[in-house]
Amino acid sequence: MSLKNTTEKALQMLRTLPRVTIGNIRDNPQSKQKQKRGRAQHGGDKHGAGNKGSGQRQNHLRLGYETGNTPFYLRFGYEPYYKGHHLKREYPPISLAQLQKLIDTDRIDTQTPIDLTTICNTGLFEIRPDRLHHGVQLTDEGADEFCAKINIEVQHAPEPVIAAIERNGGVIRTAYYDPHSLYAVVNAKKWFEKGVPIPRRMLPPQDAVEYYTDARNRGYLANPEQISYERLVLAQKYGYELPKIEEDPQYEMLTQTKDPRQIFLGLNPGWVISLRDRAIIKAKE
């Protein structure tokens, strides 16, 4: 190809190309590369340790130290109200409205007694013994709309909840579970797969004995005759006629209870449940 033809083609190409300006010129691809990692203010060359001082040297101050000032825990006086707050038992709430919805959606069977295991098996409530959960408390939200006749065992229940359940001919009981028993109750399948015996439920601690032996709270350690009297007193207080459990067709279900040392209904402490063999290994007497 001659030089003349080459020059003409070059000039023809320049006529078709746009005018060279600052806006349409750029470097060749990959002609410039960053020398630092593009992270934060210093581009990553400080390795996340800051610029100067103790942060750069990672000489972290001890917890609670305020660089010479009087620390917070010494600035204010001691409050006895918070003594032992990290040891207080907690009871996650379940309302009567939620319980009624579980019954209406057939997640809970009212033909059998309801306890903490039944509530956990619904998969909607989480009981964490490692977070000091000791069961559930039944709240009075939805007490006016609650219409189920049940035999239920919870860990804490106020007076309006007891009245709402007994007004419909039901039975309520408050019972204590120690932390070791709770691990078996909240996930019975996992406990049975371990192949260990069912633990025996311990008695409540000293500060909880008064609550679970009081018939007004329907404690599981209270005198049954005193509970019958308190049922009548509560019916007169709230102005409803107390149904007679003795004449109820479901009398056997309503009066079915667990032993104070028992955690599973129908299963005694010391038994081993084999899900693989579908067998119950009973302890020798």
Side-chain angles (χ1 to χ4, degrees):
M1 183 179 292
S2 63
L3 182 62
K4 183 177 180 180
N5 294 337
T6 305
T7 305
E8 289 178 357
K9 286 187 176 182
L11 292 173
Q12 186 179 359
M13 183 182 296
L14 287 174
R15 294 189 191 101
T16 59
L17 291 175
R19 186 180 294 273
V20 178
T21 62
I22 295 296
N24 59 14
I25 61 174
R26 61 180 60 88
D27 298 324
N28 293 329
Q30 299 181 355
S31 62
K32 290 186 178 181
Q33 294 185 359
K34 294 183 178 179
Q35 299 297 326
K36 300 178 180 179
R37 293 174 294 172
R39 297 195 307 178
Q41 178 183 1
H42 302 287
D45 60 344
K46 302 298 181 184
H47 306 287
N51 190 14
K52 297 179 180 179
S54 60
Q56 180 188 18
R57 298 169 180 84
Q58 298 187 6
N59 181 24
H60 303 295
L61 303 178
R62 62 176 175 82
L63 187 64
Y65 183 66
E66 300 183 11
T67 63
N69 299 331
T70 304
F72 177 84
Y73 61 89
L74 294 177
R75 201 178 308 150
F76 302 98
Y78 173 70
E79 291 289 345
Y81 173 80
Y82 296 105
K83 182 179 180 180
H85 70 282
H86 60 291
L87 301 175
K88 290 184 178 180
R89 293 181 289 273
E90 296 185 7
Y91 302 95
I94 297 179
S95 65
L96 287 174
Q98 291 176 310
L99 184 60
Q100 184 67 54
K101 185 180 292 186
L102 293 174
I103 295 173
D104 295 340
T105 55
D106 293 333
R107 289 180 178 269
I108 289 181
D109 184 15
T110 59
Q111 303 302 318
T112 57
I114 302 170
D115 57 1
L116 187 59
T117 305
T118 308
I119 296 173
C120 292
N121 286 341
T122 61
L124 301 177
F125 302 97
E126 185 181 22
I127 304 299
R128 297 284 300 273
D130 57 329
R131 296 184 180 179
L132 299 182
H133 292 180
H134 281 69
V136 296
Q137 60 171 328
L138 205 55
T139 61
D140 58 354
E141 182 181 357
D144 297 334
E145 293 79 18
F146 189 77
C147 58
K149 181 170 60 176
I150 57 176
N151 179 5
I152 188 170
E153 177 191 88
V154 293
Q155 283 60 62
H156 194 279
E159 188 178 82
V161 171
I162 298 175
I165 293 178
E166 294 180 350
R167 180 184 58 204
N168 298 323
V171 176
I172 185 173
R173 191 175 302 101
T174 56
Y176 172 80
Y177 284 95
D178 59 281
H180 183 60
S181 300
L182 278 174
Y183 281 103
V185 169
V186 298
N187 196 341
K189 181 181 178 181
K190 183 178 179 180
W191 184 271
F192 294 155
E193 289 175 348
K194 293 180 180 179
V196 296
I198 299 175
R200 184 176 62 170
R201 179 163 48 163
M202 297 291 101
L203 294 176
Q206 192 66 31
D207 58 342
V209 169
E210 183 179 358
Y211 182 86
Y212 292 109
T213 55
D214 194 346
R216 292 172 296 180
N217 301 324
R218 305 300 186 266
Y220 74 119
L221 299 177
N223 187 355
E225 296 181 357
Q226 188 66 23
I227 291 179
S228 300
Y229 173 76
E230 292 296 337
R231 282 170 55 90
L232 181 60
V233 171
L234 193 62
Q236 295 175 350
K237 179 178 180 179
Y238 282 83
Y240 61 86
E241 184 178 356
L242 185 65
K244 294 183 179 180
I245 300 179
E246 296 80 5
E247 301 176 358
D248 196 289
Q250 298 179 333
Y251 173 76
E252 185 177 352
M253 185 275 294
L254 293 174
T255 56
Q256 195 172 5
T257 61
K258 292 187 293 187
D259 187 80
R261 296 288 191 172
Q262 198 175 11
I263 64 175
F264 295 114
L265 186 64
L267 300 175
N268 293 336
W271 291 4
V272 178
I273 311 301
S274 176
L275 298 180
R276 189 174 186 178
D277 301 332
R278 300 196 176 196
I280 300 177
I281 304 174
K282 300 181 179 180
K284 294 183 180 180
E285 297 181 358

